[in-house]
Amino acid sequence: MTTAVKTGSIEQDRRSLTLRGHWIDDWRPEDPLFWERRGSRIARRNLIFSIYSEHIGFSIWTMWSVLVLFLGPQYGIDPAGKFLLTAVPALVGSVLRIPYTLAVARFGGRNWTIISAALLLIPSLLGALLIQPGVSYSTLMLIAALAGVGGGNFASSMANINAYYPDRLKGWALGINAGGGNLGVAAVQLVGLFVLAFLGADSPGIVAGIYVPAIVLAALGSALFMDNLTHARNEKRAMRDVTREPHTWIMSLLYIGTFGSFIGFGFAFGQVLQVQFADTFDTPVKAAYLTFLGPLLGSLIRPVGGVLADRLGGARVTFVNFVAMAVGASIVLLASQQRSLPLYLVGFIALFVFSGVGNGSTYKMIPAIFRAKCGVQVTAAGAADPHDRAAEHEARRLSGALIGVAGAIGAFGGVLVNLAFRQSFLTYQTADAAYIAFIVFYAICFVITWFVYLRPSSARLEGV
């Protein structure tokens, strides 16, 4: 009798999961039995292809951090103009993150991943064909702006994967998803280094063209192996509701400090080296040898931030992390004043590493905040009670929307970083003013983290 019941339950799960092709109507990740039988395998498959597509999106988004290194004297663009070329895709990518998040609910996670991957072909093909001496600055700005579509992929990917995993695994899953995507920053810089080293600075279009087949594979893989979750389509008012929540704006500010720093430094690092240490990095290839290292380490360590947050609490890890980032920025400032390249590299790489850790810990905080606010009941094992469906659904609905909002505002931090460097160089001929601004901002972030999420008070949210 028991066997028959189990068999019938398995068949029921199978029917609900395969209903209408790639659409899944019944998804219960907080149910341990459901997760063990079917859920974990399906979630893992979607995670793998989500990571790949997001990885390519990040590469296209940050491609201009590499392409500006190719723009020598024959292009007639000064350093201030190059900082604008990297700020534009950062801006467009940040603006697109909210509609990309909403698109998951409108079209389905799989369907939108196919569309968003295919859109990457536009800036890649234009870059491959049009970037050459004699091209107008306005054309370069347009191609750079179109590259911003890659920045939207992150938000839709994170919102989609957030819906697949149970709360106890969100820190790990979101960290792996984001870390694999963030590696696209380092990957495109390695591609740029390869082209510079073997083909020279006269072939920027090859950097963009290399990604065309990779984009096609991303779209095909998503079409063949990913799924849509039906319940994700029913959250039409989630974005409106979450904007009324004070924690939305607090977490968005903190995410500017973590992800905004990571993506902003990723865009600007090569240019800053060339301007700040012009005597050492007098050719693009010399700067390219180092620019990938920071984004690589920051990306690889992001899942560690999620795992630490799972074990120690997201707010605690985030607080310590912002203290470390303030120290890292102070080291960079000192190195800049003393013209010490080794110390400068140590401080900057520390900023990349800690921004990566903070990316993972802040994203872990988001579902934990709404889990606490919605009163989700927790079992003895630390998982959400599978019978507490209403509270669990509300927490998942709001946390998915906040991931989109925080992702958009946090990405705008990349614009601010590039504009801070540009203004500092224009005004003082050094980046020191920008570093001071970063130190002050990180201090504000760790004070807010302590005051809102760690300070003992009756309003403190448990488990954040």
Side-chain angles (χ1 to χ4, degrees):
M1 179 67 178
T2 303
T3 302
V5 171
K6 288 184 177 180
T7 302
S9 178
I10 293 173
E11 289 303 318
Q12 181 181 6
D13 283 349
R14 182 176 291 113
R15 286 194 300 270
S16 63
L17 286 166
T18 58
L19 185 64
R20 294 188 291 115
H22 287 277
W23 284 97
I24 298 175
D25 287 342
D26 180 32
W27 188 252
R28 292 170 280 117
E30 301 294 348
D31 182 339
L33 193 59
F34 177 90
W35 182 252
E36 180 182 354
R37 286 175 174 170
R38 302 276 293 180
S40 61
R41 180 171 58 83
I42 292 172
R44 184 167 55 250
R45 170 163 46 79
N46 279 270
L47 175 62
I48 290 170
F49 287 93
S50 173
I51 289 173
Y52 177 68
S53 181
E54 184 191 345
H55 175 91
I56 301 301
F58 259 96
S59 290
I60 301 304
W61 187 28
T62 58
M63 185 175 292
W64 280 87
S65 68
V66 174
L67 293 179
V68 291
L69 300 179
F70 287 81
L71 304 182
Q74 66 271 36
Y75 287 86
I77 304 172
D78 62 9
K82 292 180 181 180
F83 276 116
L84 281 181
L85 282 173
T86 53
V88 166
L91 175 61
V92 174
S94 67
V95 171
L96 288 179
R97 285 189 164 198
I98 289 180
Y100 266 58
T101 300
L102 294 173
V104 172
R106 177 66 180 84
F107 300 101
R110 165 190 174 267
N111 295 349
W112 184 249
T113 304
I114 298 169
I115 296 170
S116 61
L119 288 173
L120 299 174
L121 287 170
I122 299 173
S124 299
L125 291 171
L126 289 177
L129 296 173
L130 298 181
I131 302 177
Q132 53 188 309
V135 65
S136 68
Y137 186 72
S138 59
T139 299
L140 294 177
M141 286 285 283
L142 175 61
I143 299 172
L146 289 171
V149 297
N153 289 27
F154 175 84
S156 55
S157 177
M158 293 294 275
N160 186 39
I161 294 304
N162 180 65
Y164 274 98
Y165 277 84
D167 284 320
R168 70 184 185 279
L169 296 176
K170 282 188 188 298
W172 173 84
L174 294 177
I176 290 289
N177 188 57
N182 291 170
L183 278 171
V185 182
V188 74
Q189 291 173 350
L190 286 172
V191 169
L193 173 60
F194 174 85
V195 174
L196 282 168
F198 292 98
L199 300 176
D202 297 327
S203 308
I206 294 178
V207 178
I210 284 173
Y211 276 92
V212 171
I215 293 169
V216 173
L217 286 176
L220 287 175
S222 303
L224 294 173
F225 300 107
M226 291 187 72
D227 303 292
N228 303 301
L229 297 179
T230 302
H231 79 268
R233 303 194 73 189
N234 302 322
E235 316 297 356
K236 297 179 180 178
R237 293 183 296 273
M239 194 70 73
R240 182 200 64 186
D241 294 343
V242 84
T243 57
R244 301 172 179 174
E245 172 57 57
H247 290 283
T248 295
W249 308 110
I250 295 171
M251 290 308 303
S252 296
L253 179 70
L254 299 183
Y255 203 54
I256 287 176
T258 56
F259 182 76
S261 296
F262 173 83
I263 201 65
F265 295 150
F267 272 114
F269 189 34
Q271 296 178 77
V272 172
L273 285 176
Q274 283 195 300
V275 177
Q276 189 111 22
F277 297 94
D279 52 339
T280 302
F281 301 100
D282 54 343
T283 64
V285 71
K286 290 181 180 179
Y289 277 125
L290 291 174
T291 53
F292 76 92
L293 186 58
L296 176 64
L297 294 176
S299 302
L300 291 175
I301 206 167
R302 177 164 184 159
V304 175
V307 171
L308 287 174
D310 284 336
R311 295 181 179 179
L312 304 175
R316 187 177 293 112
V317 174
T318 299
F319 171 80
V320 174
N321 194 75
F322 275 124
V323 174
M325 291 184 73
V327 172
S330 299
I331 292 173
V332 172
L333 174 62
L334 177 63
S336 174
Q337 293 174 341
Q338 296 184 350
R339 304 291 298 170
S340 171
L341 179 59
L343 188 62
Y344 188 87
L345 293 175
V346 168
F348 231 117
I349 289 174
L351 282 173
F352 273 110
V353 168
F354 289 117
S355 67
V357 172
N359 286 339
S361 64
T362 49
Y363 255 60
K364 169 61 180 177
M365 290 173 66
I366 291 173
I369 287 169
F370 289 112
R371 192 177 179 184
K373 285 185 66 68
C374 296
V376 175
Q377 299 299 313
V378 179
T379 65
D385 186 341
H387 300 293
D388 195 11
R389 292 289 184 85
E392 177 201 334
H393 177 268
E394 182 66 4
R396 192 179 299 276
R397 183 178 79 94
L398 294 174
S399 62
L402 177 49
I403 282 175
V405 174
I409 297 175
F412 185 71
V415 182
L416 299 178
V417 167
N418 279 269
L419 292 181
F421 278 127
R422 180 178 184 272
Q423 192 59 44
S424 184
F425 280 120
L426 282 175
T427 306
Y428 304 105
Q429 287 72 55
T430 73
D432 291 359
Y435 303 138
I436 293 171
F438 300 152
I439 293 167
V440 171
F441 184 76
Y442 298 146
I444 291 172
C445 287
F446 70 67
V447 168
I448 289 175
T449 303
W450 175 83
F451 186 83
V452 178
Y453 299 111
L454 295 175
R455 178 176 59 96
S457 72
S458 58
R460 179 180 174 181
L461 296 175
E462 294 297 327
V464 176

